[in-house]
Every structure is written in C-alpha cells, then in structure tokens.
Amino acid sequence: MALHGKRILLIISGGIAAYKSLDLIRRLRDQGAAVRCVLTKGATQFVTPLSVSALSEDRVYQDIFSLTDEAEMGHIQLSRDADLLLVAPATADILARMAAGIANDLATTALLATDKPVMVVPAMNVRMWEHAATKANCALLAERGVAFVGPVQGDMACGEYGFGRMTDVPDIVNSVVGHFNGGPLAGRRILVTSGPTFEAIDPVRYIANRSSGKQGHAVAAALSGLGAETILISGPTALADPAGVKMIKVESARDMLAACKDALPADAAICVAAVADWRVKSAATQKLKKNGGGPPMLEFAENPDILKTLSKGGNNRPELVVGFAAETENVVDNARTKRKTKKCDWILANDVSPTTGTFGGDANTIHLVADGAEEAWPTMTKQQVAERLAARISDHFGKST
Ligand code: PMT
C-alpha cells in the first residue's frame, strides 16, 4: 500500500485514452490512495460519470457552475484538498489551456487554483504531440514544475504509430509512487549519452552512423521516471526530448566528450551513443569541389573514447559506468573484451547486424556482461530494456547505500 493516506485529484480530459483512467483509478486505490475525479466535458464522451464514480467510490465533479458542486465543495477546496493533481489522459487541448493559464471549466480552474504538485500524462496523436505549439506548452509547464509521465511510443487508436500513446497504467502508478517516495533514484545524478555523432568532412558533409537515439533516450526517460536527475547528452536525432531530463545536444564525439566532462560529477554514466571512432583529421573549411582531380583523399584521426575516459576518470569517476557494445559478430566475446579494455562496470551487448533491425528499430536483445555475472535478456522493446536497466541501476545503488 505504497500510497496509503494519499489523496489524488484525478482530472480526466477528453481523449480516447480516457478509458484507461478507469483502470488507473482502481490501481491507485489498490495502493491505498483516495481518488477523487474531475471530468472535462470531452471526457464524458469517452467514460461515464457513473463508472468513474463507482470505481472511485466518490462523487464525480464536472461543472464549475453547478450550485450543488460549489455548495458541497468549492473548486478551490477541491484543488487544495489533494496531495497531487494527476491529469490522465492529458490532451493537447488541456496542456495548452494549462500553459496559457486559462480557467474555462472546472478542471482548468482547479489546476490554476491549486498550490499542490501537478503531474500530467499526455495522450494524443503523434503529430499533435510533435507540433511546435504542444512542444512549447510542455516546455513551459515543465519549467513551472509540472511533472510529465510519457507519452510513450506505439500504435495509436487513430491508426498511426509514434510518440503520443498514454503511458501504461502500471507505469503511471509507479511514477505516482515515485513522486511520493522521491523515487528509488532520487538524489542520484546520472548522465546518459545517446544517438549518433556527426563528424564533419566539410561545412555540408559529415560521417555518421545509423543510431536513431531510441535506446539512449528510453534509458534517460526510465532513469528520470525513477527519480534520478538525468542529463541526456545526445547527438543529432529526430526524437522528441524526453520529459523531465536535462537535454544537451551535440554533434561530434569531441563535443560529446566535452559535454560529458562538464556534466560531472555524476553517480552513474550510461553510454548508449554510437560514437564515431574516427573523424576526418582536418575538416575542410569550404565545400569540397569536384575539380577534375579525382575524389579527395580523406585522412582520419582517432576520436576520444568517451566511455573509456569516464571509466578511467580518477577522482571524478562515476561510481557506476555502463557501456553498450554494438557488434555484428562474436557479440558476447567482443563485449567481454570491450568491458575490460574500456574499464567500465557493465556492458550491454547487442547485435546490430542489419537483419536484427536493432539500429533504428523498436526492439532489442541484450546480453549484459558485468564483473563475474552475465545475463541474457529476451528480446523486448527498447523501452522495456531501458526500464530493466534502470531497475538494475536502482538495485545497484540500493545495495551501495
Ligand atoms: O540508437 P538506436 O537506433 O536505438 O540503436 C541503439 C544502439 C544500437 C546504438 C545501442 O543499443 C548501442 O549499441 N550503443 C553503443 C554503440 C557503439 O558505439 O558501440 P561500440 O561497441 O562501438 O562502443 C562501445 C561503447 O563505447 C559504447 O558504450 C559507446 O558509447 C562507447 N564509445 C565508443 C566509441 C567512442 N569513441 N567513444 C565511446 O564512448
């Protein structure tokens, strides 16, 4: 009963994911929370006040102008009587109204009037989630201290695929528990690298690789979900910034190393980025031209090894340094050797041969190599890999404190 005695005001806004809020009420109550619900007008198109009331075993609040509602409990008291205001699902519309400070129904009035923490669980179409207006609204709300849970990537009711799907109910409950308990990684500062690096050939061309950043970004989101102060240092990707993490965007391996060093000290470093091992020794300052003399000769120089540098970091070494090994043959043997040469604590090997679809795909198969312990994980989504790794990191710090 991790939420025993906690009072949650659950604001359900009008999206198709509203049906999941019924299960959410049940699961929050299973953990001992008292759940009082506010429905927006849109929400009543997806769930009925009767079912919400039956599951919460409380009356349901809907109308700011209802004399009965105001007589029994004013909107100010409603918003202040709770320990947490949880908006699930949070549509693009309610996020926009919250960001603008609009109070044109009971839900947004309660959100504006509250002096209690607010957590939102966005759910919307991928294009709406990626729209500049929604991004700006979310950035503003996050800056004001609103906590975000998700959204996650997946199939949507509208038939599209991408980020915008509401986080699964058990994960929302974990986040709520994490909020009240501070999360198992609260007080830990963890840096994560993600994505590819771009190494310039000239001002318009570069050398890169096939990393999408999906795995690294998922790791950062999972760590942040467990309460860690998470710094995500990423090469160029097409992904949205995960909520709740401090984002640092870089291009080259040397920029990434500098950003990692600036982010120290940290309790842990998780190097998921696919860093280019080599760069062009002297990138041209002007665009290389075809001038009839044949293709240019590119001379390469070795890039710094970020994982190795962090692992050897002397006094500034994070307590836990974790690498990923991208292999196309002898996956486990190569990973074992890499862990030793790079002197990291754990390495997560994955096969990146084209047939596996690991680069850019949504699934991954991990073989974890630690000192004296190895684990073969079944194939799972990159988000599940991230959650499993975050839980393992949390166990590590649980034992070391
Ligand atoms: O981004 P996705 O499309 O989701 O794909 C995920 C992934 C395949 C990129 C990821 O799971 C992964 O395997 N990341 C490591 C990629 C890599 O560079 O592997 P590597 O075996 O070449 O390097 C081993 C480790 O050293 C890695 O932790 C890497 O970050 C680090 N490294 C490598 C070179 C370098 N110059 N500096 C480094 O820090």
Side-chain angles (χ1 to χ4, degrees):
M1 300 276 269
L3 296 174
H4 180 71
K6 302 295 179 208
R7 291 159 308 168
I8 296 170
L9 185 70
L10 175 63
I11 295 175
I12 306 172
S13 68
I16 182 69
Y19 77 91
K20 293 188 190 169
S21 60
L22 299 177
D23 189 29
L24 180 60
I25 297 169
R26 225 172 41 100
R27 305 260 188 152
L28 289 169
R29 295 193 67 214
D30 285 349
Q31 293 297 326
V35 184
R36 172 161 283 163
C37 299
V38 171
L39 291 187
T40 65
K41 200 169 168 208
T44 59
Q45 301 293 319
F46 298 95
V47 288
T48 67
L50 187 62
S51 48
V52 172
S53 173
L55 284 162
S56 62
E57 291 190 60
D58 196 355
R59 62 160 302 174
V60 174
Y61 294 81
Q62 299 176 72
D63 186 359
I64 190 158
F65 298 116
S66 155
L67 285 177
T68 335
D69 287 1
E70 279 296 312
E72 282 177 12
M73 162 139 347
H75 59 272
I76 304 285
Q77 194 191 342
L78 189 65
S79 69
R80 304 224 178 129
D81 231 25
D83 298 304
L84 173 73
L85 273 67
L86 176 64
V87 189
T91 58
D93 171 72
I94 202 165
L95 292 171
R97 286 188 286 145
M98 286 169 71
I102 292 173
N104 58 356
D105 61 5
L106 181 60
T108 47
T109 305
L111 284 159
L112 198 63
T114 194
D115 55 357
K116 295 293 160 49
V118 177
M119 183 180 272
V120 296
V121 190
M124 66 195 75
N125 167 271
V126 57
R127 301 274 165 259
M128 293 170 82
W129 174 248
E130 285 171 359
H131 195 284
T134 308
K135 279 190 177 170
N137 290 333
C138 292
L140 190 61
L141 291 170
E143 203 180 296
R144 291 184 192 146
V146 171
F148 279 75
V149 180
V152 294
Q153 189 169 226
D155 290 319
M156 294 180 192
C158 55
E160 289 192 57
Y161 180 88
F163 279 93
R165 222 169 85 101
M166 180 156 129
T167 299
D168 290 337
V169 168
D171 294 331
I172 302 173
V173 176
N174 283 344
S175 299
V176 172
V177 172
H179 162 81
F180 286 112
N181 295 348
L185 287 172
R188 299 288 176 185
R189 183 177 160 89
I190 303 187
L191 69 92
V192 179
T193 70
S194 181
T197 60
F198 282 9
E199 309 295 334
I201 296 172
D202 66 16
V204 294
R205 304 179 181 95
Y206 55 82
I207 297 169
N209 60 63
R210 297 176 193 278
S211 169
S212 63
K214 285 181 182 175
Q215 185 65 82
H217 280 49
V219 168
L223 291 167
S224 166
L226 294 187
E229 178 192 353
T230 310
I231 300 106
L232 176 58
I233 301 167
S234 177
T237 76
L239 301 179
D241 300 348
V245 310
K246 181 175 178 205
M247 190 77 208
I248 300 172
K249 296 183 182 179
V250 297
E251 285 221 340
S252 69
R254 286 181 294 173
D255 294 344
M256 191 174 270
L257 176 63
C260 286
K261 283 182 172 169
D262 283 350
L264 292 173
D267 295 292
I270 320 298
C271 294
V272 197
V275 185
D277 286 319
W278 300 281
R279 66 177 184 276
V280 175
K281 191 170 180 186
S282 307
T285 53
Q286 301 298 329
K287 184 182 172 196
L288 295 175
K289 300 277 184 214
K290 276 197 284 186
N291 54 13
M297 293 296 293
L298 297 180
E299 194 186 342
F300 286 92
E302 197 167 330
N303 263 334
D305 192 308
I306 300 165
L307 177 64
K308 203 168 178 178
T309 310
L310 292 170
S311 295
K312 283 184 164 172
N315 290 342
N316 238 358
R317 185 194 198 276
E319 177 182 319
L320 181 69
V321 182
V322 179
F324 272 65
E327 305 294 343
T328 55
E329 56 181 347
N330 304 324
V331 176
V332 176
D333 281 346
N334 285 343
R336 288 180 190 134
T337 312
K338 232 169 228 179
R339 189 181 81 83
K340 285 196 180 129
T341 2
K342 301 207 183 207
K343 301 195 180 335
C344 57
D345 301 297
W346 309 342
I347 201 153
L348 279 74
N350 45 198
D351 189 336
V352 293
S353 308
T355 48
T356 63
T358 306
F359 268 127
D362 295 318
N364 205 351
T365 313
I366 294 293
H367 190 99
L368 184 142
V369 182
D371 192 13
E374 291 195 12
E375 293 169 18
W377 295 1
T379 301
M380 51 182 103
T381 64
K382 284 180 177 170
Q383 188 181 343
Q384 287 166 333
V385 166
E387 281 161 8
R388 187 156 172 174
L389 176 60
R392 215 177 185 288
I393 291 169
S394 166
D395 284 352
H396 166 88
F397 284 113
K399 281 182 195 132
S400 73
T401 45

